[in-house]
Amino acid sequence: MTDHKPAAHLRPARIEQVAAGLGTGRDTTGGAAPRRAGAATGVGTAGAKPSAAHTRETRPEGAQGTEPAGTHARINPAAELGFSGDPGQHGDPGDVMLHAQVTWDGTLATNRLDELGVTYERRRLEVKDVTTSVSLLVDGWPADVEKCVQSLLDHTSARVLALDLGNVDGAGDVLRGLAERYPERVAVWHVAEQPHWRGGTATWGECRAKLLRLDEAEVHVLMETSLMLCGDALTPLVAAVVEGAVAAGWRGVELLDGGEQWQDAAPGRVNALTGDLMAVRRSAAIGALPEQANYGRNADLELSLGLSGELVVPAERLPVQRLGPHDIAPDYGRREGQRNYDAVLRMLRTG
C-alpha cells in the first residue's frame, strides 16, 4: 500500500439490515395482543403479555386511527429490547429472563453473520482495489512448491512472483509448468546460481530484495514454500495493512522482559512478525529488508525491527498448513541464524 492512496474503509453492515435486528426470534411486527385496562406500555412491562402466537402490541396507549395492527410496531424501540417504554415501570416479574434472552439471541445473530461470511465479505471489498503480490524463493522441494503455488491460485487473486535458484531437484521445472498454465497469475525468473545454503552465491537477502524491486504491487507478501493455504489467508493480512498497519503476519513474537529473548505472541499488535507468511507495505519494506542476510533464519526479526509502524497478527485463525520441514545442514543454520540474530541485538541496543 503506497502512502499516496488512502485506505478504502467500509462501515460494517448493521445487524438489523442483514438479520432483521437483535431479537428473541419471536414476532415483533406488532400483532394485536389483548391488553388489560391500565396495562403498562412496552414489552416486558406489567400486564404486557405475549399472545399465543407470540405477537406483541407496541402501539402507545391512546393511539388513534384505523391503521392495521403492526403499523407502529417500532414506535417504542425500548419495548423491542425487553424494557418498559414508560418511566417508573419495572416490568412483569414473569418476564425477568426476557432481556437476558434478547442479549443471548443478539449474540447468536452476530455469530451467525460471521458464519455467513459478512466480516470476510466486508474485508474483501476493502482490499479489492489494493494490488497484492506474493513472493517466493524456490530452492528445492518441488512437490511443496506445486502445492504452495496452487493454493495461492485457488484461494486468492494475488499475483505470484517466484525466483528459481538453480532448479534444485527440478523445482524450477515445476514453476515453469505453472507459469505456462497460469501466465496472468505467475511470473518466474530462473537463475543459474545455487542457494547459499547449498554452497552457492544466491543469498536470502539479495534474492528477497530482487523480488521486492521487481514487484509493482502496493502490498508485498513474503511466503515460504513450506506452507500452503487452505483458504483465503491473505485478505485478513492485506486488510490489516489497508487499515493502517505497516505489516501483518500469520504469526508474531514478542520480547521477554530481559529484552533479548523472544516468545510467541498473541494476536494483535506485536514486536515482530515471522517471515513465513507476512504482508508488508512494499514502499516501507524497501530499505528495511536486510540484504546482507545469507539465510532467512532471524532475518524476519531484523526486517520487522527495521519497519516504522504497527505490526499486527489478525485475531482469527488463518487457514494455513505447514507442509513439512525444509531441512538444511544444522551447522549452517545455527551459524547464519546467529549471525542474523547478532544484527537483531545490535538494533535492539541502539533502538
Side-chain angles (χ1 to χ4, degrees):
M1 181 78 183
T2 62
D3 295 333
H4 304 294
K5 183 176 181 179
H9 293 290
L10 294 179
R11 289 181 296 176
R14 295 176 59 193
I15 299 298
E16 63 267 29
Q17 291 174 338
V18 182
L22 301 183
T24 61
R26 305 178 181 90
D27 184 0
T28 57
T29 58
R35 175 181 294 163
R36 298 197 308 268
T41 311
V43 178
T45 61
K49 294 291 188 180
S51 69
H54 298 293
T55 59
R56 289 187 174 84
E57 173 63 75
T58 56
R59 187 178 302 171
E61 294 286 353
Q64 301 297 319
T66 59
E67 299 92 348
T71 301
H72 297 293
R74 297 180 64 84
I75 202 162
N76 185 354
E80 294 190 19
L81 293 178
F83 298 109
S84 169
D86 299 329
Q89 297 293 340
H90 303 291
D92 189 329
D95 281 342
V96 294
M97 294 300 293
L98 181 57
H99 177 55
Q101 181 65 44
V102 171
T103 303
W104 173 261
D105 288 347
T107 302
L108 290 180
T110 303
N111 290 341
R112 284 194 294 270
L113 288 176
D114 282 336
E115 290 170 4
L116 291 172
V118 171
T119 299
Y120 170 78
E121 182 64 14
R122 174 174 59 83
R123 285 176 172 169
R124 190 188 66 79
L125 291 174
E126 286 176 347
V127 306
K128 69 182 180 66
D129 295 325
V130 178
T131 54
T132 303
S133 295
V134 179
S135 66
L136 303 173
L137 287 185
V138 176
D139 53 359
W141 296 279
D144 287 356
V145 168
E146 184 159 23
K147 292 176 183 177
C148 174
V149 175
Q150 192 64 55
S151 73
L152 289 165
L153 299 172
D154 290 345
H155 298 296
T156 79
S157 59
R159 193 162 183 243
V160 178
L161 310 179
L163 184 57
D164 164 38
L165 306 180
N167 195 22
V168 177
D169 298 329
D173 295 334
V174 169
L175 279 177
R176 185 175 288 105
L178 288 163
E180 289 173 355
R181 295 201 300 274
Y182 305 96
E184 301 300 319
R185 295 283 308 278
V186 180
V188 180
W189 292 268
H190 301 273
V191 297
E193 288 84 358
Q194 292 280 308
H196 191 270
W197 63 266
R198 285 178 63 100
T201 58
T203 66
W204 183 92
E206 267 189 345
C207 294
R208 281 290 177 195
K210 287 179 180 177
L211 283 170
L212 188 61
R213 292 185 175 94
L214 287 167
D215 193 6
E216 296 180 348
E218 295 167 293
V219 176
H220 183 86
V221 180
L222 291 80
M223 184 173 178
E224 299 291 339
T225 57
S226 58
L227 302 180
M228 67 176 290
L229 306 186
C230 303
D232 183 4
L234 295 191
T235 289
L237 301 181
V238 177
V241 174
V242 168
E243 290 164 7
V246 68
W250 176 37
R251 298 184 302 135
V253 292
E254 60 185 0
L255 276 168
L256 296 176
D257 292 338
E260 294 188 358
Q261 298 297 320
W262 301 79
Q263 67 179 7
D264 290 341
R269 189 168 184 173
V270 298
N271 296 135
L273 297 166
T274 62
D276 41 12
L277 183 60
M278 172 183 178
V280 61
R281 293 175 184 251
R282 185 178 61 85
S283 59
I286 296 174
L289 191 77
E291 296 189 38
Q292 79 286 351
N294 293 327
Y295 186 59
R297 186 176 298 172
N298 294 327
D300 46 7
L301 301 180
E302 195 174 351
L303 169 59
S304 294
L305 295 178
L307 293 169
S308 178
E310 188 176 78
L311 309 174
V312 299
V313 173
E316 66 266 41
R317 187 181 183 89
L318 298 182
V320 181
Q321 177 184 336
R322 193 171 295 282
L323 295 171
H326 287 186
D327 294 326
I328 61 167
D331 290 345
Y332 175 90
R334 282 193 295 268
R335 182 180 72 250
E336 295 301 330
Q338 185 61 53
R339 179 174 176 269
N340 294 337
Y341 196 66
D342 289 343
V344 170
L345 293 178
R346 286 193 295 271
M347 295 178 74
L348 291 172
R349 290 164 185 162
T350 59

